[in-house]
Amino acid sequence: MPEFMYAATSPAEDLKGVTLERYIRSEELKHPGARGFFSRLVSQICLAAKIINAEVNKAGLVEILGLTGKKNIQGEEVQKLDEYANEVFRRALDHTGYVSALASEEMDEPYLIPGDFVDDGQYVVVYDPLDGSSNIDVNVSIGSIFSILRRRSPGNGPTTMEDFLQPGAAQLCAGYVIYGSSTMLVYTSGRGVHGFTLDPSVGEFFLSHPDIQIPPRGRIYSINEGNSAYWHDEVARYIAHLKAEDKASGRPYSGRYIGSLVADFHRNLLKGGVFLYPGDKKSKTGKLRLLYECNPMAFIVEQAGGAATDGTRRILEIQPGKLHQRVPLVIGSRDDVAEATRFLQGEAG
Ligand code: P6P
């Protein structure tokens, strides 16, 4: 079969080097009923990523660094690039015709797309437009995170909060973009995890990491040790366990913490390891948001063979109560997450 004539059912490995659009099309061909809505959504997200990437890459040269002087609903300082990225996602998604509403870390309430821009508004999208903001001004990797849900309310009626407050297991698609040494878009739509690298010389994402699988156990742990004074005993015991020498189980692990969830997660996804942002004596539910940080990453890691819990429950089974709800997060290699969860449950250590 000539190079360009990939069969519709080609495994991802055979499609290495194709563009993101071409890959999405090959996925679509596997589902005769597909009408291309979803594909065009991911393509628009891809456009947003390219636009944000262009700004991130010259942030030191244009007046877009620093703070806006505002605070978001999380009480966090809003960086200029946060606000810019939020607008880029909103504008990329509000004219597709298939999305009825958007929710973002940077918007207190959902943005309801005006009715005349919505033809068959069966999807809602939640996103963190620029994750790792505190790293923007010091040139450390940051990212965007997104999740696509099918509405539960009737498509011809108003979008409701229940359309957003769905357990992570209901996600149709989840992904992130990491603006790092190269810019990558990693996503899953329930059939494996695939990574696409942006070639800035042509402005296209090409399939570089088909079928990503996270090693079942790693040798890296990521946690903000600066919070150790607030850790519950179970967390302290687990981290001490990872630091203790035991050659048979590959301990001590290496500590790696970048302070951008996307960057810490991406490294562990490729190399194996465990990331924790647990609840502690200062913040019972930790810091990370369920809908647009924990759920997308949990969908991706499970599709790659890993696991994600809140220290007790599987993240994807948590029923959200509020749009910006925070939950504790333990995520990464399957065996490491299982061991961490046993410690956090007081069943080990
Ligand atoms: P801390 C970035 O602000 C973020 O939301 C995640 O990307 C990151 O994992 C976490 O917060 C870092 O938080 O408290 O360790 O600085």
Side-chain angles (χ1 to χ4, degrees), residues 279-300:
D280 61 26
K281 297 165 191 166
K282 192 175 60 164
S283 44
K284 185 170 176 294
T285 52
K287 173 179 183 182
L288 301 179
R289 273 64 54 150
L290 175 59
L291 285 189
Y292 40 80
E293 290 174 320
C294 300
N295 271 345
M297 295 319 215
F299 186 15
I300 292 167

Side-chain angles (χ1 to χ4, degrees), residues 167-169 290 294-299 302 308-311 313-319 327-331:
L290 175 59
C294 300
N295 271 345
M297 295 319 215
F299 186 15
E302 286 199 4
T309 74
D310 66 352
R313 300 165 294 177
R314 182 174 168 239
I315 288 287
L316 294 183
E317 288 172 359
I318 296 175
Q319 172 56 50
V327 292
L329 180 65
V330 182
I331 189 167

Side-chain angles (χ1 to χ4, degrees), residues 131-132 224 257 259-261 275 277 287-289 293:
D131 170 70
N224 185 340
Y257 193 73
S260 282
L261 172 63
F275 171 97
Y277 209 108
K287 173 179 183 182
L288 301 179
R289 273 64 54 150
E293 290 174 320

Side-chain angles (χ1 to χ4, degrees), residues 57-318:
N57 283 349
K58 58 187 181 188
L61 298 174
V62 296
E63 189 40 52
I64 198 159
L65 289 178
L67 300 173
T68 59
K70 301 174 197 165
K71 287 203 175 189
N72 63 18
I73 192 166
Q74 333 286 342
E76 293 165 344
E77 301 277 8
V78 177
Q79 303 262 6
K80 290 176 187 167
L81 216 44
D82 277 326
E83 212 161 58
Y84 171 77
N86 188 61
E87 271 308 291
V88 167
F89 267 93
R90 189 182 65 74
R91 292 172 61 181
L93 293 169
D94 72 358
H95 280 68
T96 61
Y98 317 122
V99 178
S100 64
L102 304 169
S104 155
E105 180 186 57
E106 299 305 331
M107 300 190 292
D108 298 359
E109 299 301 326
Y111 170 72
L112 303 181
I113 293 172
D116 42 354
F117 297 153
V118 183
D119 306 329
D120 183 349
Q122 56 185 306
Y123 301 110
V124 294
V125 181
V126 292
Y127 58 92
D128 180 357
L130 210 63
D131 170 70
S133 308
S134 54
N135 288 312
I136 292 175
D137 294 8
V138 294
N139 223 18
V140 170
S141 296
I142 49 182
S144 303
I145 310 172
F146 64 89
S147 166
I148 302 174
L149 293 159
R150 189 184 303 282
R151 282 180 62 174
R152 284 188 161 163
S153 56
N156 54 4
T159 307
T160 66
M161 189 55 83
E162 283 57 45
D163 290 323
F164 290 101
L165 302 182
Q166 302 183 53
Q171 293 173 97
L172 294 176
C173 173
Y176 61 84
V177 183
I178 178 166
Y179 311 100
S181 46
S182 67
T183 293
M184 273 190 73
L185 186 148
V186 176
Y187 90 98
T188 185
S189 54
R191 288 180 296 280
V193 177
H194 310 292
F196 298 79
T197 300
L198 180 66
D199 177 341
S201 66
V202 296
E204 273 299 346
F205 281 97
F206 292 92
L207 181 61
S208 53
H209 298 66
D211 278 332
I212 298 173
Q213 289 293 308
I214 186 171
R217 181 175 281 276
R219 295 292 178 269
I220 291 171
Y221 75 97
S222 306
I223 190 169
N224 185 340
E225 302 257 9
N227 292 331
S228 59
Y230 310 112
W231 290 346
H232 294 304
D233 294 346
E234 295 78 6
V235 174
R237 274 199 290 274
Y238 174 58
I239 301 302
H241 169 77
L242 295 183
K243 290 175 168 178
E245 185 173 10
D246 176 86
K247 293 209 179 344
S249 60
R251 289 180 288 140
Y253 279 20
S254 293
R256 293 283 185 279
Y257 193 73
I258 299 170
S260 282
L261 172 63
V262 171
D264 282 313
F265 176 86
H266 185 70
R267 179 204 52 244
N268 291 355
L269 180 70
L270 298 184
K271 291 179 177 275
V274 60
F275 171 97
L276 301 95
Y277 209 108
D280 61 26
K281 297 165 191 166
K282 192 175 60 164
S283 44
K284 185 170 176 294
T285 52
K287 173 179 183 182
L288 301 179
R289 273 64 54 150
L290 175 59
L291 285 189
Y292 40 80
E293 290 174 320
C294 300
N295 271 345
M297 295 319 215
F299 186 15
I300 292 167
V301 84
E302 286 199 4
Q303 281 289 310
T309 74
D310 66 352
T312 304
R313 300 165 294 177
R314 182 174 168 239
I315 288 287
L316 294 183
E317 288 172 359
I318 296 175

